[in-house]
Amino acid sequence: MADCSYHPGKDAVGACVSCGKMVCIACRTELQDKVYCPACANKLFVARSDVPVPATTTPAVKPVSGAWWLLVILPLLFGGWCWIGGIIAWAVNKDKDPKKAKSMLIWGIVLTVIYMVLLTIFIILVVAGFLILELPQM
Ligand SMILES: [Zn+2]
Ligand SMILES: [Zn+2]
């Protein structure tokens, strides 16, 4: 009889049905009447487990820092380049939390548009005010 693949010197009592390695009485694992080696039994158990095992197996959304919103909103104070902040925030976070990253990108663009509209209105008001003040003197 062959030796156990995991314990040289110990007689094997069977072979793993999955990988074919010889197993001794100590590391033989029986699952649903089939013999598995410890490694395969482990894999099988993890794969079939319905209990959510920590982060590694569940494609959980990773936390994205709320500080990224500053990158989207702060440019309002510095010339309205929110869409650039939005793109950066999206590019950095799209793998961690696609939804949040996308909403940052959208908000970046929306804020840029709002900024441009407000800026245009502001300029029109200033120009209009300037014209109204200047006209009587003309
Ligand atoms: Zn195996
Ligand atoms: Zn063994």
Side-chain angles (χ1 to χ4, degrees):
M1 195 75 188
D3 276 3
C4 169
S5 301
Y6 295 88
H7 305 98
K10 278 199 180 182
D11 282 339
V13 293
C16 170
V17 297
S18 178
C19 68
K21 278 184 182 166
M22 303 306 286
V23 286
C24 69
I25 193 79
C27 59
R28 193 177 99 124
T29 310
E30 250 178 83
L31 288 172
Q32 291 171 339
D33 294 330
K34 285 174 186 161
V35 175
Y36 292 93
C37 69
C40 292
N42 233 358
K43 265 187 238 162
L44 224 68
F45 181 75
V46 171
R48 286 193 184 171
S49 169
D50 289 330
V51 184
V53 215
T56 48
T57 49
T58 38
V61 167
K62 293 192 195 117
V64 168
S65 168
W68 286 102
W69 282 108
L70 292 177
L71 198 65
V72 178
I73 296 163
L74 272 186
L76 279 177
L77 305 173
F78 306 102
W81 301 103
C82 299
W83 63 276
I84 294 183
I87 286 173
I88 295 170
W90 169 77
V92 171
N93 297 314
K94 66 179 157 53
D95 294 332
K96 294 182 195 159
D97 188 342
K99 270 189 191 166
K100 206 169 181 181
K102 204 174 170 188
S103 65
M104 283 177 180
L105 178 66
I106 291 168
W107 271 105
I109 293 166
V110 168
L111 287 175
T112 306
V113 171
I114 292 173
Y115 181 88
M116 291 304 177
V117 169
L118 290 178
L119 191 70
T120 308
I121 292 171
F122 178 75
I123 290 171
I124 291 172
L125 287 178
V126 168
V127 171
F130 180 76
L131 288 177
I132 288 164
L133 288 176
E134 288 294 306
L135 272 176
Q137 295 168 20
M138 279 168 82

